Amino acid sequence: MNINIDNFAAAKYDVFSMFNNQWALCTAGTPAEYNTMTIGWGTMGTIWGPPMKGKQIITVFLRESRRTSDILLEGERFTVCFFPEEKRQDLGYLGMHSGHNEPDKISKTTLTPKMLDNAVGFEEATLTFVCKKIYTHQIGKDELPEFVRDTLYRDGDLHYIFMGEIEDVFGTIDK
């Protein structure tokens, strides 16, 4: 499903603030098996198309040690959900606990999973992007700037880059 670029482009998103300050949940999998984690890194843009016809994408960065990353490596759908400030404690919890060690970590939050066809979002989200994975690549430690490699990747737990074409959008950004 392609979003009408005119409708989507008319929306104003402060992507820098959304990912850096507000955070989000990236949820991978299907209603049968899924996992979610808090993300603070992400991008939005277009790629692989002529002017005004490029694929509209969200790119997320998930550490290889996370269950969400495992599920998304095997699957093809993910959501990126943004929440009002009062849900920050829930996002903090989900970011600090891995689905490998705590498979039902959502039950420890006030969030309610919401089935979106073959993807999973949350009732409390103010803005949800449903994406189809179109590209995956693991960050190469040797290609990173030294200051990044020596501070963020000392333990060797690298990020995968997941690029997803936006298939649907629900809600608006909470201001």
Side-chain angles (χ1 to χ4, degrees), residues 9 15 20 34 40-41 58 61 68 74 85 96 110 119 135 149 153 157 161:
V15 179
N20 200 38
Y34 65 92
W41 295 357
I58 290 184
F61 304 82
T68 306
E74 297 296 321
E85 183 63 29
M96 297 296 295
T110 64
Y135 180 76
R149 183 176 56 242
Y153 297 105
D157 189 13
I161 301 167

Side-chain angles (χ1 to χ4, degrees), residues 12-13 23 30 33 43 49-50 52 66-67 69 71 73 75 82 89 96 118 135 137 139 151-152 157 174-175:
K12 303 283 187 223
Y13 300 109
W23 305 343
T30 66
E33 180 186 11
T43 65
M52 301 300 290
R66 299 304 295 261
R67 179 74 179 127
S69 185
I71 292 173
L73 283 169
F82 293 90
Q89 185 173 353
M96 297 296 295
N118 208 21
Y135 180 76
H137 184 79
I139 289 176
T151 57
L152 295 176
D157 189 13
D174 185 49
K175 301 228 179 211

Side-chain angles (χ1 to χ4, degrees), residues 10-170:
K12 303 283 187 223
Y13 300 109
D14 180 358
V15 179
F16 299 107
S17 175
M18 288 166 61
F19 283 105
N20 200 38
N21 301 333
Q22 192 175 0
W23 305 343
L25 288 182
C26 179
T27 306
T30 66
E33 180 186 11
Y34 65 92
N35 196 68
T36 192
M37 64 176 282
T38 303
I39 59 172
W41 295 357
T43 65
M44 294 173 69
T46 57
I47 195 168
W48 298 330
M52 301 300 290
K53 301 223 187 283
K55 292 184 180 297
Q56 299 166 31
I57 62 161
I58 290 184
T59 304
V60 296
F61 304 82
L62 310 180
R63 286 200 185 266
E64 63 185 336
S65 63
R66 299 304 295 261
R67 179 74 179 127
T68 306
S69 185
D70 291 343
I71 292 173
L72 192 48
L73 283 169
E74 297 296 321
E76 65 175 38
R77 293 269 178 319
F78 66 96
T79 60
V80 177
C81 298
F82 293 90
F83 295 84
E85 183 63 29
E86 59 265 20
K87 296 300 178 185
R88 185 172 287 273
Q89 185 173 353
D90 289 327
L91 273 64
Y93 184 87
L94 293 169
M96 297 296 295
H97 294 84
S98 173
H100 285 299
N101 303 324
E102 198 173 334
D104 191 26
K105 63 183 180 175
I106 292 179
S107 69
K108 303 278 180 26
T109 71
T110 64
L111 300 179
T112 310
K114 176 181 181 178
M115 303 309 133
L116 303 169
D117 291 327
N118 208 21
V120 180
F122 294 90
E123 291 286 341
E124 298 81 4
T126 55
L127 180 62
T128 300
F129 294 93
V130 179
C131 303
K132 179 180 180 184
K133 181 179 72 175
I134 60 171
Y135 180 76
T136 304
H137 184 79
Q138 188 171 28
I139 289 176
K141 192 171 183 177
D142 293 339
E143 289 80 35
L144 291 169
E146 187 176 337
F147 76 93
V148 173
R149 183 176 56 242
D150 294 346
T151 57
L152 295 176
Y153 297 105
R154 282 190 301 250
D155 62 359
D157 189 13
L158 299 170
H159 282 87
Y160 279 101
I161 301 167
F162 293 101
M163 189 183 300
E165 182 175 10
I166 299 169
E167 294 187 313
D168 214 340
V169 181
F170 300 97

